[in-house]
Amino acid sequence: MPWRNAANYGLSAHPTESVAVKISAIRVYQVNLPLVEGRYSWSEGKYVEVFDSTVVELVTDEGLSGYGEVCPLGPFYLPAYGPGARVGIGELAPTLLGEDPTAIGPLNQLMDRALLGHPYVKSAIDMACWDLLGKVTGKSVCDLMGGRFGDSVALYRAIAQRPADEMADNVAGHRADGYSKFQLKVGGKPEEDVERIRAVAGVLTDGEVLVADANTGWRVDDAMRVVNAVSDVDVYIEQPCRSYEHCLAVRRNTTLPFILDENITDIDALLRGHADGAMDVINLKISKVGGLTKARQIRDLCVSLNIPMTIEDSWGGDIITSAIAHLAHSTPEALRFSATDFNSYVTVHNATGAPARTSGHMSASDEPGLGIVPDMDVLGAAVAEYTH
């Protein structure tokens, strides 16, 4: 198949005449993703048992399809929720029909003009565009994003908030699956969180990494009580408070390494954090910033600024896990703090070909695009379809 705008993506031009592909249809699917462990709990008593995932299919006039996925962590984690993703896609559809999905830069500009904000709505569409670009060029998304570094990507495991002894027991179980990085969900009562951190730190072995993630759940005074109480523990403190200013206040009063997540929403936020010395590591979530295109921009800036990253998303199934793998595997190993294999957390699989965890690691597919084939029996009938 002839290539479209190959030079824009660092590829050699195909010798034959270029032919633009056009979006002829947009199909939207909804899939419930129940958790293997039954419930995922984090700060302030929040929890989810079944995740509401939206899958987008972009169909071209040549009959080629690209797929993307977005799966918010419930309606109360970020300003995002499952039904909102589907409504937003319907709002964007008339603008996107007839456009070239492989012209990813112009298409992102179109989306930003047609719908202000709502980055999570655009994420699955942008992801599907990258899947199509890979299929048109015969390249994996990992190759299109710069090529792979190393043989695999190390993963972390999130430990849902529970009593301290249960969280310590969970770490031992996940260690058997090859994980060596553990993210504890804290953000509860300070005295209980101190107990959680110390209990888990007590069962770690050499080379294992511990992160205490409050998910914005502490006030500044509570965060200071916790970081002072565990100042002798080798632990990263992640996103203790809701506002950037409150996180910065905690950061400036602790020597523990610091991670920002929810506050890193775009390049401006990253640059502000870097200028203020607000963090040592960031969590880069694909849908939070608006898709793979903007996540790659932030990733590349972090590489230039020497800021390590956990590369992930809010949640998801096989399609999102594949996208994470491609972005992470094309990131230099020295700046790759960790990544996430969400498809191992859920009981329903919405595609084949996605990375499978092996000894706490995963690898991006070598196949064109994301390298996945959606399971249409799982996706079922489209809940919405938009055509010319």
Side-chain angles (χ1 to χ4, degrees):
M1 182 179 296
W3 292 8
R4 168 64 174 168
N5 291 339
N8 292 339
Y9 302 96
L11 305 171
S12 299
H14 197 282
T16 61
E17 180 185 358
S18 65
V19 177
V21 295
K22 297 183 183 300
I23 299 172
S24 61
I26 301 172
R27 297 180 185 131
V28 183
Y29 306 87
Q30 190 276 330
V31 182
N32 287 329
L33 302 176
L35 277 159
V36 171
E37 295 181 359
R39 174 177 289 191
Y40 183 75
S41 304
W42 66 100
S43 66
E44 303 175 290
K46 298 171 185 173
Y47 69 89
V48 173
E49 295 174 337
V50 178
F51 290 88
D52 182 351
S53 176
T54 299
V55 174
V56 173
E57 177 186 8
L58 300 184
V59 184
T60 72
D61 53 352
E62 297 181 357
L64 195 63
S65 289
Y67 296 89
E69 180 183 11
V70 60
C71 185
L73 183 57
F76 35 61
Y77 169 60
L78 294 171
Y81 69 112
R86 295 185 284 277
V87 172
I89 292 165
E91 181 71 24
L92 284 171
T95 299
L96 301 177
L97 289 168
E99 296 297 326
D100 181 354
T102 68
I104 295 178
L107 190 131
N108 268 271
Q109 285 193 340
L110 279 175
M111 289 197 290
D112 287 343
R113 286 201 297 267
L115 181 65
L116 294 179
H118 302 281
Y120 74 107
V121 170
K122 304 163 189 174
S123 183
I125 295 169
D126 178 72
M127 193 180 295
C129 288
W130 280 96
D131 190 32
L132 276 169
L133 178 63
K135 290 172 179 176
V136 168
T137 60
K139 297 275 190 177
S140 72
V141 170
C142 183
D143 288 337
L144 292 171
M145 290 195 163
R148 66 191 58 225
F149 290 86
D151 296 326
S152 62
V153 175
L155 303 167
Y156 81 83
R157 191 72 184 190
I159 309 298
Q161 190 176 111
R162 294 190 174 106
D165 56 345
E166 292 183 27
M167 295 178 81
D169 289 342
N170 283 347
V171 165
H174 293 308
R175 179 185 293 127
D177 291 327
Y179 294 100
S180 60
K181 299 181 180 182
F182 304 98
Q183 184 196 71
L184 307 185
K185 293 302 177 181
V186 289
K189 295 180 179 179
E191 61 274 15
E192 293 178 358
D193 286 335
V194 170
E195 185 180 358
R196 290 178 175 114
I197 293 167
R198 288 196 171 279
V200 173
V203 301
L204 294 188
T205 60
D206 288 346
E208 293 182 334
V209 176
L210 179 61
V211 176
D213 181 11
N215 285 119
T216 76
W218 289 324
R219 301 190 312 251
V220 173
D221 58 326
D222 288 338
M224 289 307 307
R225 290 173 62 194
V226 175
V227 299
N228 286 335
V230 300
S231 61
D232 60 321
V233 177
D234 186 6
V235 58
Y236 288 76
I237 301 299
E238 180 173 333
Q239 192 70 41
C241 308
R242 184 168 303 279
S243 78
Y244 171 81
E245 291 76 13
H246 286 175
C247 286
L248 185 60
V250 178
R251 159 71 164 178
R252 288 174 171 169
N253 286 280
T254 181
T255 59
L256 293 173
F258 215 79
I259 302 173
L260 284 183
D261 178 357
E262 286 85 349
N263 291 150
I264 304 298
T265 55
D266 53 25
I267 284 178
D268 287 344
L270 174 66
L271 290 172
R272 181 186 182 192
H274 176 65
D276 291 341
M279 71 282 180
D280 303 293
V281 181
I282 71 160
N283 274 15
L284 177 54
K285 287 183 165 69
I286 294 169
S287 64
K288 180 178 63 178
V289 301
L292 281 169
T293 298
K294 292 177 181 176
R296 184 184 67 160
Q297 292 171 346
I298 293 172
R299 186 275 307 272
D300 290 346
L301 182 55
C302 282
V303 171
S304 296
L305 296 175
N306 205 38
I307 300 173
M309 296 156 277
T310 289
I311 294 177
E312 57 173 358
D313 209 327
S314 296
W315 207 269
D318 293 286
I319 300 172
I320 281 177
T321 300
S322 181
I324 293 168
H326 285 283
L327 182 60
H329 214 151
S330 60
T331 300
E333 293 176 274
L335 280 305
R336 207 162 59 204
F337 187 73
S338 63
T340 318
D341 60 325
F342 283 126
N343 59 354
S344 74
Y345 289 76
V346 297
T347 62
V348 170
H349 293 280
N350 56 24
T352 59
R357 182 190 66 235
T358 303
S359 299
H361 290 71
M362 70 178 177
S363 301
S365 171
D366 291 321
E367 296 297 314
L370 293 174
I372 55 91
V373 177
D375 187 331
M376 301 310 296
D377 289 335
V378 172
L379 297 188
V383 297
E385 181 170 0
Y386 307 95
T387 59
H388 280 301

